[in-house]
């Protein structure tokens, strides 16, 4: 029995416990509320974080997320190697086998804005179609790499002994083996540059060699035209609606040794594009960006800048500007050509030649080449190619955001070229978490046997965004690719309409195929 | 001869050229001016970017920069592998051979704030001193790894067969080979985890095993005391003036099987520290942080939190707070223990137990464990351990900066544990470029045979800052380590004075040794 005095003590103890429990619960509740808000605020900042999905999109998003979570959690919890983030040379078969890749392939992805014209049509087509033609010759260099060339007849005196590809193929025990040998000889994938070459500098040498291997095959006028047509076909098949292609524009040649100038190249690209869009009205189109090489002499760059001005003025809806390409670490920084690149601004009246500079595709922070990012911004670049080093430059990053300069990110290219190993460390993951103006592209996808755009989208989705980033992330990337393209306002409007129609079909199609019971309701 | 009309044309042409050249020159000059300003503005944002060096410091800085530039440019221009950024297991011999490492060793570095008590004294001492004592036994586990234990006499029935280390050493053909075998068996360096273990999850298993190997050797009271004394000696020899050590505090045992509690551990640490500072007045001191394991049951964590409150209250200048350690990816997130961790706040009056949480030591963006960063912030962490994933959380990063929560970055640890491969991709490089509140520490340096702090400073200097980041960067890191320590205001003041004296001696000494002609002036 509790006497009155003890009762008082007992009651005060109970009250005290109650107060403390209540206060504990309220502290806990407040905490959980704040926590939810903070995590939400953080993830809303990411690319797509502010998009709101319709209920049918949400269904598809949940299906994407089921696949994404399955892959991530099975690796995280079972301690198995997380394949989506490791070398593309190891992960490709597993990625190719996934439902998620199929979904991403099926998704309309908008535009691919950072591509190089000699390295975007599949090697399969190059071998199985281009090298089957008349007048195609091959020779094996001292480095065991094959050079292709189209000749009426090969030169009699040459360090490299030329053989007709047709003859060699006819002599081969197996045509399939012969063609596979040719493909392996071109492909970076076959040699696994992530283990074969120790660093960025060495894989660049091999990579640059590819262009010498194929240049005199691809640039033969009839092949060039078909090669480009095939580029468009393959991107369309990968559900890309629009591309922007960098290339020298000059160098297309005929069998009689005629070498055509830049305008010829631009016209050819434009004509093929027009034909293609007529044949496939669900494809938006293409534009080109003339590009020089950062190891050229200054006087050559000046000529190119002048040509680019002329072509941009004459084909303002198609030849959109100028870029400098090649290994930034090994070649000249933009500053080396500053007088030439300022040339359009010194004209009277000043000419605004749009620049689309590769800049900051490097791990060499604080070196001359790292300053390319500053020059790209100061030269009013319309977009920046790669910008891999941007997150190490807070002031430049701030300007890129303020000026809304889109950055063209090419995840697999950066991994193949040894800038990053585990894709989850890709520096753009941080800028994508902060809604930077970013588009995903595929650079030289054919060289490492990647799909036109889907593999790069896959890597962005699985490695460069959080486990909780859903379809809004991918949808925003597709929207960005149209918004940040070089299309005019009205072209963008039209492209967006076309993309939206495709998007709705995609949502409908995925629901029909994967959620038939829901569909039947 | 030029007739008047032609003269007019000629003059107007000349004027036009002059105007255009002048306008071109002015555009160029404006450009170069803007460029200089922009690059300067950008680099001023980095850690140390606002420090101004005295002329003698500038001399030493230039000498550092000569060495830094030599290493970077020789790799960049000669296409040789950039050793400072590759696996520490490959680069260590070359780093050890460099003048730069010697300079960094000599530099007073302030404090090391993120250390674990069982893995910071060199393996050499552990083998050559601790295992030479009486009563030390060893057995070889099924995984071929050696377990050490101190016993009066080993248990008769045990899965693992115990042998006296003394006896085994006496039987060995060569004592040196025997000791080297022991060291290799403990060291992660010997097994090269960057190639032996495929990922973070697997190297964590091996890493956690190290602690089981040595626990019952190091925690034997007499060894424990000497081990810690040796920790202080080695850090002092590496020109570190102060340390903060995480540890369980409990578990120190005697030969009669007595196992001591946390307070015993704290007192032991405090007594040894006091003795050490008396013996070496140029050493500032040490503090401890009690740490539990993230795979414990909640009830155990609550007990620890209560003990930590008691000890923090009783030893407010020495036992500074509480942390949870262990593999974040495999174990419980902070949220799992939220009631336990909120316990101090629910007391009446609320107790402010300082937390020093490991958080975001992961590449698993957007998973439960990635949310540890949010919890660390909301639980008012005094500092954050690692925060590797912070740059993927713009809102959290903004809060960390606003609340000035220091992040303890351990570059070599992150590489050894497979979070990053090329150190130039370390995500903290971007936050260091933006003057985040960061300190550099060395985590479990002995485990991978790194120096107490110099190797990690070397990596920060060579890989995580630009080529143009000079001595201001290193000086600021040293200042940060005092500013962001758990010392009181007056302790910090005293520590800074001591450090400044050492810094001036360091500057003087380097000038005397490397620039004798300047010194003689």
């Amino acid at each position: 029995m509790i006497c009155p005095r003890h009762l008082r003590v007992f009651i005060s103890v109970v009250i005290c416990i109650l107060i403390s429990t209540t206060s504990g619960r309220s502290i806990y509740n407040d905490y959980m509320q704040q926590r939810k808000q903070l995590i939400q605020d953080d993830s809303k900042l990411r690319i797509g974080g502010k998009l709101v999905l319709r209920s049918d999109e949400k269904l598809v998003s949940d299906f994407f997320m089921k696949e994404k979570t399955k892959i991530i959690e099975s690796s995280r919890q079972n301690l198995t190697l997380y394949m989506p983030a490791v070398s593309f040379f190891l992960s490709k078969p597993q990625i190719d086998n996934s439902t998620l890749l199929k979904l991403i392939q099926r998704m309309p992805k908008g535009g691919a804005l950072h591509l190089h014209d000699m390295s975007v049509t599949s090697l399969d087509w190059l071998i199985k179609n281009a090298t089957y033609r008349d007048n195609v010759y091959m020779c094996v260099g001292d480095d065991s790499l094959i050079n292709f060339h189209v000749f009426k007849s090969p030169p009699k005196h040459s360090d490299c002994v030329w053989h007709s590809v047709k003859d060699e193929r006819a002599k081969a025990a197996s045509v399939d083996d012969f063609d596979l040998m040719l493909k392996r000889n071109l492909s970076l994938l076959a040699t696994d540059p992530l283990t074969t070459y120790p660093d960025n500098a060495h894989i660049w040498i091999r990579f640059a060699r590819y262009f010498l291997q194929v240049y005199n095959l691809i640039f033969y006028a009839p092949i060039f035209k078909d090669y480009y047509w095939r580029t468009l076909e393959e991107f369309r098949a990968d559900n890309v609606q629009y591309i922007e292609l960098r290339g020298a524009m000059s160098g297309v040649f005929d069998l009689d040794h005629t070498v055509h100038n830049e305008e010829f190249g631009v016209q050819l690209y434009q004509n093929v594009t027009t034909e293609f869009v007529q044949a496939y009205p669900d494809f938006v189109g293409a534009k080109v960006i003339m590009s020089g090489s950062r190891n050229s002499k200054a006087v050559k760059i000046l000529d190119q800048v002048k040509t680019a001005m002329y072509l941009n003025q004459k084909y303002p809806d198609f030849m959109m500007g100028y870029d400098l390409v090649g290994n930034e670490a090994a070649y000249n920084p933009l500053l080396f050509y500053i007088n030439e690149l300022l040339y359009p601004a010194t004209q009277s009246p000043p000419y605004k030649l749009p620049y689309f500079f590769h800049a900051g595709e490097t791990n060499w922070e604080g070196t001359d080449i790292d300053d390319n990012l500053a020059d790209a911004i100061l030269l009013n670049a319309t977009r920046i190619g790669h910008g891999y080093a941007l997150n190490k430059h807070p002031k430049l990053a701030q300007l890129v955001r303020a000026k809304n300069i889109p950055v063209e990110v090419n995840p697999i290219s950066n991994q193949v070229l040894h800038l990053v190993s585990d894709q989850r460390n890709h520096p753009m993951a941080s800028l994508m978490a902060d809604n930077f103006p970013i588009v995903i592209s595929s650079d030289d996808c054919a060289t490492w046997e990647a799909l036109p755009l889907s593999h790069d989208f896959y890597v962005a989705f699985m490695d460069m965004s959080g486990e909780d980033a859903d379809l809004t992330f991918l949808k925003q990337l597709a929207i960005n690719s149209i918004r940040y393209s070089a299309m005019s306002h009205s072209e963008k409007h039209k492209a967006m309409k076309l993309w939206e129609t495709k998007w709705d079909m995609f949502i409908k199609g995925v629901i029909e195929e994967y959620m038939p019971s829901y569909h039947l309701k």
Side-chain angles (χ1 to χ4, degrees), chain A:
Chain A
M1 195 194 147
I2 299 171
C3 72
R5 214 177 117 210
H6 286 158
L7 191 66
R8 276 212 308 277
V9 173
F10 176 79
I11 288 171
S12 69
V13 166
V14 167
I15 288 172
C16 185
I17 288 174
L18 275 174
I19 289 172
S20 116
T21 314
T22 316
S23 129
R25 195 170 301 141
S26 124
I27 286 174
Y28 172 83
N29 288 342
D30 285 358
Y31 183 90
M32 293 308 284
Q33 183 57 36
Q34 275 183 54
R35 184 180 195 273
K36 194 178 158 192
Q37 190 64 46
L38 179 57
I39 292 174
Q40 230 173 49
D41 288 352
D42 190 62
S43 51
K44 268 197 182 154
L45 293 175
R46 82 159 64 99
I47 284 185
K50 290 189 184 68
L51 281 186
V52 178
L53 299 177
R54 301 183 309 250
S55 62
D56 56 341
E57 291 177 310
K58 187 77 181 57
L59 265 183
V60 174
S61 182
D62 290 347
F63 188 58
F64 268 71
M65 293 307 274
K66 212 179 98 196
E67 295 298 312
K68 182 176 188 174
T69 310
K70 196 167 68 188
I71 299 168
I72 291 177
E73 291 303 320
S74 90
S75 171
R76 183 165 83 91
Q77 292 180 11
N78 306 330
L79 309 188
T80 54
L81 197 56
Y82 182 61
M83 292 305 281
V86 303
S87 162
F88 185 63
F89 297 85
L90 297 173
S91 63
K92 186 174 184 291
Q94 197 163 316
I95 295 175
D96 287 349
N97 235 344
S98 68
T99 304
L100 199 52
L101 184 73
K102 286 179 191 71
L103 289 167
I104 287 174
Q105 280 187 273
R106 186 170 181 159
M107 188 184 94
K109 288 170 283 294
L113 307 185
H114 185 109
L115 303 170
H116 296 277
D117 63 356
M118 278 200 284
S119 43
V120 281
T121 295
S122 65
L123 296 182
D124 282 324
W125 184 89
L126 200 63
I127 303 300
K128 286 288 184 191
N129 185 314
T131 73
Y132 269 71
R133 306 200 180 192
D134 291 335
N135 301 313
V136 177
Y137 288 80
M138 60 186 270
C139 79
V140 183
D142 291 340
D143 53 5
S144 305
L145 294 174
I146 294 168
N147 305 301
F148 291 98
H149 211 302
V150 180
F151 297 115
K152 200 177 265 173
S153 60
K156 293 216 171 76
H157 304 291
S158 164
D159 288 343
C160 199
V161 186
W162 294 100
H163 304 277
S164 149
V165 176
K166 273 205 169 159
D167 293 353
E168 295 298 302
R169 185 176 282 120
K171 280 192 278 175
S174 151
V175 168
D176 282 349
D177 288 352
F178 178 80
D179 286 349
L180 188 61
M181 178 276 292
L182 294 184
K183 184 177 160 186
R184 289 215 171 127
N185 197 278
L186 290 180
S187 169
L188 268 70
L189 185 58
T191 51
D192 189 354
L194 289 182
T195 54
T196 312
Y197 302 98
D199 59 11
N200 175 260
H202 291 86
I203 175 63
W204 253 105
I205 295 169
R206 168 66 188 97
F207 176 55
R209 186 71 181 81
Y210 161 85
F211 294 93
L212 297 178
Q213 290 184 275
V214 299
Y215 182 88
N216 289 304
L217 174 68
I218 295 176
F219 271 61
Y220 173 53
I223 291 180
F224 189 71
K225 207 180 146 186
D226 294 354
Y227 181 94
Y228 176 54
W229 179 275
R230 180 68 187 177
T231 301
L232 297 173
E233 279 182 343
E234 292 184 358
F235 275 79
R236 181 175 169 274
D238 197 38
N239 276 305
V240 175
Q241 283 72 50
Y242 169 80
I243 65 169
E244 292 185 11
L245 209 53
R246 282 158 163 96
M249 300 300 126
S250 64
V252 176
F253 66 91
D254 298 332
L255 220 46
D256 65 2
H257 301 295
T258 310
V259 178
H260 299 283
N261 69 5
E262 288 87 354
E263 185 158 9
F264 180 93
V266 170
Q267 284 174 342
L268 193 151
Y269 273 127
Q270 195 173 31
N271 294 338
V272 174
T273 306
T274 307
E275 273 178 58
F276 189 85
V277 173
Q278 276 162 0
Y280 301 103
D282 71 337
F283 191 78
V284 172
K287 296 187 189 293
V288 294
I289 295 160
M290 185 177 148
S291 54
S293 168
R294 348 178 78 96
N295 66 345
S296 296
K297 287 190 175 155
V299 64
K300 187 170 177 186
I301 299 301
L302 184 60
D303 277 350
Q304 288 177 352
V305 166
K306 288 176 180 171
T307 306
M309 283 166 64
Y310 164 75
L311 292 170
N312 178 240
Q313 212 157 15
K314 188 158 175 192
Y315 306 90
D317 302 331
F318 190 71
M319 207 314 273
M320 305 316 294
Y322 184 70
D323 183 15
L324 278 168
V325 303
N327 184 357
E328 282 182 73
Y331 297 152
N332 298 316
L334 290 176
L335 186 65
F336 183 83
Y337 303 113
I338 195 61
N339 284 306
E340 293 68 33
L341 298 173
L342 283 174
Y343 175 81
T346 61
Q347 298 313 291
S348 177
Y351 187 81
K352 285 198 174 170
L353 178 65
Y355 288 128
F356 297 80
F357 291 124
H358 279 65
E361 187 186 3
T362 185
N363 264 329
W364 292 117
E365 186 185 353
T367 61
D368 290 351
I369 51 157
D370 192 29
D371 290 338
N372 283 343
L373 279 169
D375 289 299
I377 293 169
L378 289 170
L379 287 163
N380 292 315
T382 300
R383 288 198 307 263
I384 290 175
H386 294 289
Y388 185 89
L390 190 61
N391 75 334
K392 290 176 181 170
H393 296 283
K395 178 74 190 173
L396 305 187
Q398 187 190 319
L399 276 173
V400 162
R401 187 199 282 280
K403 290 169 165 251
N404 207 23
I405 306 172
V407 183
E408 306 154 353
V409 176
N410 305 279
I412 298 176
S413 166
N414 297 150
Q415 189 190 51
V416 169
L417 292 177
H418 268 301
L419 285 177
V420 65
S421 160
D422 185 320
Q423 289 278 22
R424 292 172 297 179
N425 285 321
H426 196 296
M428 285 296 156
S430 63
L431 300 187
M432 290 168 91
D434 203 11
N435 197 25
F436 255 66
I438 279 171
V439 293
I440 294 292
S441 195
S442 57
D443 208 5
D444 307 273
C445 51
T447 320
W448 39 84
E449 301 182 43
L451 286 165
L453 191 55
S454 293
H455 280 127
D456 284 279
F457 259 62
Y458 178 94
V459 168
F461 188 55
M462 295 303 293
D463 303 328
M464 297 166 70
S465 70
E467 186 186 32
D468 52 341
D470 60 12
L471 193 62
T472 53
F473 179 80
L474 291 168
K475 188 179 179 185
Q476 188 67 56
L477 283 177
I479 293 171
N480 281 3
S481 76
I482 295 170
R483 174 184 299 169
Y484 296 133
S485 74
M487 286 189 273
S488 68
H489 187 73
S490 64
E491 285 173 329
K492 281 181 191 177
H493 183 74
K494 206 179 134 197
M496 194 62 91
K497 284 276 162 215
L498 187 145
W499 173 81
E500 278 166 357
T501 309
K502 281 192 170 281
W503 179 264
D504 291 345
M505 279 167 57
F506 153 72
I507 295 292
K508 193 159 170 276
V510 172
I511 292 175
E512 277 175 18
E513 182 169 340
Y514 294 97
M515 292 154 260
S517 63
Y518 176 86
H519 170 63
L520 290 175
K521 278 178 199 165

